[in-house]
Amino acid sequence: MSAVLGKLVLDRRATVDAVTEAPAPLQPIDLTDDATVAEALDVAVRVGEVLLAAGTGAIDTSDQVQFVAATYGLARCDVDVTYNSIVLSAHRGPTMPPASTMRIVHYRSMDFTRLAAVDRLTRRIRRDAISPAQAREELLAITSAPHPYHRWVATLAWSAMAASIAVLLGGGLLVAAVAFASTLVIDRVNRYLNGLGLPFFFQHLVGGIIATAPAITLYAFREQLGISVSPGLIIAAGVTVLLSGLSLVGSVQDAITGAPITASARFFELVMMTGGIIAGVATTLRIAAVLGSDLPVINYVVTTGLTQLPSKVAAGAAASLFFALACYAERRALTAAALGGAVGTLVYQLALGLSVGPIIASATAATVVGFAGGLMARRAYTPPLVVAVAGITPLLPGLALYRGLYAILQTELLVGLTALFAAFGIGCGLAAGVTLGEWMARTARYPRSMRRAGTLRRPALRRARPRRARTASPTPETTKVTPRVARLRRDFRRS
């Protein structure tokens, strides 16, 4: 066990570690060459575009953009990152006008493989001092490459995630199978609607309808089919899957780290998408009520016994793994995502056993997930955002959201508003806990290799002390050159 943990938190350089300072470039670009400066700025803003599109916080995106620009000698830069734009202005001295560029982010992509590849490219720009032209070519190859898995793999992963969430909530085999089938339909229909250019609000509305309709149908014909089904768990599993793609972590992280404008924009988008889900579920429930098929009220009691703990932890790990797979994460990141989900579910269940409430339990579990995910991401060589977002997916408040909505539709306003505010508190607790955990991971155990390579310096040639001979003093011809001195001489000649 200790060997496995040692591999996961190995003290090696990886993409989890924050950039602390810009390196002194070995080959800085010519600041008087407008074309070269524009090419370096284009590389920097394109890197920021991929990070921002994947849900990275505005402050982290700004740091990475500044880091890439400073690597090429543009140390004095001003970066303005908003919800869908990046503005970069570089100061080139008192006698030359500043160089500026702007990039608009027109898309949102949950391709974690592309995110990890771009993150590693920024490290190569620092370590290998590659030219802006070469970096731009590699960046274009990364952004234009197809997804690593077929789209049907992502569809099946979303469906398997819904089945895992249903098991985590206490559903049986039938509930898991129905959640699997309904999520499969949701994904394929939304892909088709996305191809037609339908706004995301209406896509989530359709998703809410599809997630609710099978549950109502099975419950209405339960006596004829001879089955016993819990429709609320099926709906909650579908709602959780729809919520998992939203930028909850990024919005709260921007608010905490000092980017209120971007946080407000992301949070408003989050509210609108959640409103689409609520509208879809509410429309279906109202139609069912008109047809005389009312659903039972969910009396969900959290069970924290040790007998059900292994199954819940396994279901949480499976949900995180399938979420990472659905977002096209690299194979080596899937294990880290599954461990993050297992740890988060375990801590959440243990915290509920201490009667601290779901909000505090969710925040505590998210903090552990963010911290453990940051350590594990060093071994997996992938950004900690992948592990953190996947790890908190099983804890998203899909059931609380459905309970509050159903209570409001039944004219129980106090109960419904209480449940909705509880869902909002759980979401904020998850995002805040992940942010705190990632900060702890970056500061608690900083790899020695990153401390050694804090800045890149020119190789310096030192004269080696000659080995003393017993008979005569050594001469320059008889002095033995060590391999280290030879390597330094060779690097010095190259520079």
Side-chain angles (χ1 to χ4, degrees):
M1 186 64 181
S2 60
V4 175
L5 293 178
K7 291 181 179 181
L8 291 175
V9 298
L10 193 62
D11 193 11
R12 296 172 60 182
R13 182 178 60 182
T15 55
V16 62
D17 303 295
V19 177
T20 57
E21 57 184 356
L26 293 177
Q27 295 178 350
I29 62 175
D30 185 7
L31 298 182
T32 61
D33 189 351
D34 294 337
T36 306
V37 172
E39 192 173 31
L41 294 179
D42 183 68
V43 171
V45 295
R46 285 181 180 272
V47 168
E49 178 188 12
V50 176
L51 298 177
L52 193 63
T56 306
I59 301 301
D60 291 339
T61 301
S62 176
D63 290 341
Q64 291 293 336
V65 171
Q66 284 184 324
F67 170 73
V68 175
T71 302
Y72 292 119
L74 301 171
R76 299 179 61 183
C77 291
D78 294 322
V79 184
D80 183 20
V81 178
T82 60
Y83 171 69
N84 62 345
S85 65
I86 303 174
V87 179
L88 176 59
S89 179
H91 181 69
R92 296 190 291 175
T95 60
M96 297 186 65
S100 303
T101 186
M102 180 179 181
R103 191 76 179 176
I104 301 297
V105 181
H106 295 284
Y107 64 95
R108 290 292 182 268
S109 174
M110 297 298 290
D111 190 336
F112 288 156
T113 295
R114 180 181 301 172
L115 177 63
V118 170
D119 200 84
R120 285 193 294 270
L121 177 61
T122 61
R123 303 294 173 175
R124 287 194 56 233
I125 292 174
R126 172 182 186 172
R127 183 182 66 249
D128 301 335
I130 61 178
S131 63
Q134 182 181 355
R136 187 174 185 275
E137 291 180 1
E138 296 188 13
L139 185 60
L140 290 177
I142 292 172
T143 55
S144 61
H147 294 304
Y149 313 122
H150 195 272
R151 286 189 173 182
W152 271 104
V153 175
T155 299
L156 295 176
W158 286 117
S159 304
M161 173 188 161
S164 303
I165 295 295
V167 174
L168 180 63
L169 295 177
L173 181 61
L174 178 61
V175 173
V178 176
F180 182 94
S182 61
T183 304
L184 189 146
V185 176
I186 290 173
D187 183 76
R188 302 314 299 181
V189 170
N190 279 348
R191 284 184 185 275
Y192 175 75
L193 296 177
N194 189 42
L196 296 178
L198 186 68
F200 286 106
F201 174 83
F202 298 103
Q203 293 183 30
H204 283 79
L205 187 148
V206 174
I209 293 175
I210 298 175
T212 311
I216 296 177
T217 304
L218 285 179
Y219 184 77
F221 294 95
R222 65 189 184 281
E223 296 180 355
Q224 292 83 346
L225 297 175
I227 58 176
S228 177
V229 64
S230 177
L233 298 183
I234 299 175
I235 299 173
V239 170
T240 303
V241 172
L242 292 172
L243 288 174
S244 60
L246 303 180
S247 56
L248 175 65
V249 176
S251 61
V252 178
Q253 187 178 22
D254 287 339
I256 293 176
T257 55
I261 298 178
T262 307
S264 301
R266 286 190 174 184
F267 185 76
F268 185 74
E269 182 192 41
L270 177 67
V271 171
M272 290 300 298
M273 299 307 166
T274 307
I277 299 172
I278 293 175
V281 175
T283 300
T284 311
L285 292 177
R286 181 59 63 186
I287 293 175
V290 172
L291 297 177
S293 178
D294 291 330
L295 298 183
V297 179
I298 297 179
N299 294 320
Y300 182 69
V301 179
V302 179
T303 57
T304 58
L306 296 179
T307 56
Q308 297 185 0
L309 188 60
S311 62
K312 289 183 177 295
V313 171
S320 298
L321 186 147
F322 288 124
F323 172 77
L325 181 62
C327 294
Y328 305 104
E330 297 174 317
R331 290 184 177 89
R332 56 187 171 187
L334 296 179
T335 303
L339 290 175
V343 170
T345 305
L346 177 62
V347 174
Y348 177 77
Q349 295 295 328
L350 294 178
L352 286 179
L354 300 176
S355 301
V356 297
I359 297 179
I360 298 179
S362 300
T364 304
T367 303
V368 176
V369 168
F371 179 75
L375 297 181
M376 288 187 293
R378 287 198 180 119
R379 183 64 179 178
Y381 286 89
T382 189
L385 178 68
V386 178
V387 181
V389 175
I392 67 171
T393 295
L395 308 178
L396 290 174
L399 184 59
L401 188 64
Y402 167 71
R403 291 176 62 190
L405 173 63
Y406 189 77
I408 291 177
L409 293 178
Q410 299 298 322
T411 66
E412 298 179 0
L413 296 180
L414 182 59
V415 177
L417 292 177
T418 302
L420 290 180
F421 277 111
F424 175 77
I426 291 173
C428 293
L430 290 174
V434 166
T435 304
L436 178 61
E438 289 182 357
W439 175 82
M440 293 170 59
R442 290 176 178 177
T443 56
R445 188 175 181 179
Y446 200 64
R448 291 189 298 271
S449 57
M450 288 295 289
R451 291 195 295 265
R452 290 196 301 267
T455 57
L456 298 178
R457 302 179 182 276
R458 289 183 177 275
L461 181 64
R462 294 191 305 173
R463 184 181 299 276
R465 294 182 178 180
R467 183 180 298 176
R468 293 183 178 180
R470 293 182 179 180
T471 57
S473 59
T475 61
E477 291 78 9
T478 60
T479 302
K480 182 178 179 180
V481 178
T482 63
R484 182 174 181 274
V485 174
R487 184 173 65 255
L488 290 175
R489 288 178 178 177
R490 184 172 60 254
D491 295 340
F492 182 79
R493 287 194 297 269
R494 290 179 179 177
S495 62

